[in-house]
């Protein structure tokens, strides 16, 4: 178990460009979450998947943002036509749906992708 | 809706001194409560969680927290801090049903001084 991994760790782009981030969850985890963290703030929920189904989306997720988890394993978060306000740390987390073994599906976080939009 | 307030944005404390990081929450429904720690350029690591039962919860690295329902608080404490405890600490809540998203506070930066 290598934990949640995210790629890239850092991304610098120019305003108006599209960017895509990848998240690989812990292998047996069926839930995957995306959060955004701006400087001096706590993480803010963006969206989550159970297997390949996107079950909840925040109002923060404008139509320029799209997330996918096509095979219920890794996930991608794409931002189209980036704006300077999109500069933030994008965090991915995963969890295993609650069962008798694990009464709470604790979220495990990856190291994040830091996006800078110039 | 739920919200989390961490009133102290920064807490300086000398090494080996005790520390308390404050967290208050607001929710009309029952919630689970968490404390996470974030070291520079790293993701969040769970310190401890309150689900139910005993209101005093012990976590990793010598941290503990006490759930106080009447005061809607979940303050984090450590009796003796180390330089290595310098980090950002986040309090979070999650509804016990209906959603799996966490609501985080704005964080408290703990700086341990030699």
């Amino acid at each position: 178990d290598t934990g949640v991994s995210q790629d890239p760790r850092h991304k610098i782009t120019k305003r108006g460009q599209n960017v895509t981030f990848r998240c690989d969850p812990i292998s047996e985890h069926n839930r995957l979450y995306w959060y955004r963290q701006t400087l001096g703030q706590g993480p803010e929920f963006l969206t989550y998947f159970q297997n390949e189904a996107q079950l909840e989306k925040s109002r923060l997720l404008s139509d320029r943002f799209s997330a996918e988890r096509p095979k219920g394993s890794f996930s991608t978060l794409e931002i189209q036509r980036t704006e300077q306000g999109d500069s933030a740390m994008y965090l991915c987390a995963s969890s295993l749906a609650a069962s008798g073994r694990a009464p709470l599906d604790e979220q495990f976080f990856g190291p994040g992708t830091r996006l800078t939009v110039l | 809706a739920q919200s989390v307030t961490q009133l102290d944005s920064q807490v300086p404390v000398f090494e080996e001194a005790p520390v308390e990081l404050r967290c208050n929450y607001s929710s009309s429904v029952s919630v689970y409560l968490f404390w996470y720690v974030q070291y520079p350029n790293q993701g969040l690591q769970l310190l401890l969680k309150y689900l139910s039962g005993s209101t005093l919860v012990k976590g990793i690295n010598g941290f503990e927290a006490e759930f106080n329902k009447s005061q809607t608080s979940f303050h984090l404490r450590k009796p003796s801090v180390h330089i290595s405890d310098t980090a950002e600490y986040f309090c979070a809540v999650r509804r016990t049903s209906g959603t799996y998203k966490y609501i985080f506070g704005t964080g408290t930066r703990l700086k341990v001084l030699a």
Side-chain angles (χ1 to χ4, degrees):
Chain A
D1 177 9
T2 57
V4 179
S5 61
Q6 293 186 246
D7 184 69
R9 293 291 306 275
H10 303 272
K11 178 71 177 178
I12 299 175
T13 191
K14 293 182 178 179
R15 188 177 53 188
Q17 297 294 303
N18 299 343
V19 294
T20 300
F21 310 140
R22 176 180 170 123
C23 171
D24 286 272
I26 294 171
S27 58
E28 68 269 25
H29 284 186
N30 53 359
R31 290 192 181 130
L32 187 147
Y33 311 79
W34 286 98
Y35 292 83
R36 181 177 70 184
Q37 185 178 19
T38 53
L39 203 60
Q41 300 296 316
E44 296 172 292
F45 171 79
L46 292 178
T47 188
Y48 98 90
F49 293 82
Q50 177 147 332
N51 300 313
E52 65 276 8
Q54 189 173 18
L55 296 186
E56 189 172 351
K57 291 168 61 173
S58 163
R59 282 172 288 183
L60 292 174
L61 212 65
S62 76
D63 55 7
R64 296 186 297 106
F65 288 70
S66 62
E68 293 183 343
R69 195 183 182 199
K71 296 183 180 179
S73 56
F74 73 91
S75 175
T76 57
L77 177 68
E78 181 183 16
I79 309 175
Q80 296 182 325
R81 306 180 303 280
T82 53
E83 301 173 356
Q84 287 184 326
D86 297 331
S87 295
M89 175 79 85
Y90 290 84
L91 295 167
C92 176
S94 70
S95 70
L96 179 65
S99 68
R101 268 191 311 150
L104 176 71
D105 52 335
E106 173 188 332
Q107 294 183 22
F108 293 82
F109 284 80
T113 294
R114 183 170 296 283
L115 173 66
T116 302
V117 181
L118 302 175
Chain B
Q2 293 75 48
S3 66
V4 177
T5 302
Q6 293 181 249
L7 288 172
D8 305 306
S9 59
Q10 292 189 65
V11 173
V13 62
F14 285 104
E15 194 174 17
E16 297 183 7
V19 69
E20 178 179 82
L21 305 183
R22 296 181 295 169
C23 172
N24 288 85
Y25 70 94
S26 173
S27 178
S28 58
V29 297
S30 60
V31 294
Y32 300 128
L33 296 130
F34 308 85
W35 274 99
Y36 278 85
V37 60
Q38 186 177 34
Y39 299 102
N41 299 314
Q42 295 187 27
L44 282 75
Q45 180 184 7
L46 182 68
L47 279 177
L48 47 79
K49 60 193 176 193
Y50 173 78
L51 307 183
S52 64
S54 172
T55 57
L56 184 63
V57 180
K58 294 191 183 296
I60 62 171
N61 301 341
F63 285 93
E64 63 180 33
E66 184 148 22
F67 170 58
N68 187 319
K69 189 173 182 179
S70 62
Q71 297 187 3
T72 60
S73 67
F74 190 54
H75 301 331
L76 181 70
R77 296 191 290 257
K78 187 170 183 177
S80 175
V81 296
H82 304 290
I83 296 287
S84 59
D85 293 323
T86 295
E88 189 92 20
Y89 291 79
F90 292 96
C91 182
V93 301
R94 197 207 94 178
R95 290 175 52 163
T96 58
S97 64
T99 181
Y100 300 103
K101 68 182 180 186
Y102 288 11
I103 306 296
F104 286 87
T106 52
T108 297
R109 182 170 298 277
L110 175 64
K111 185 169 177 61
V112 181
L113 309 169

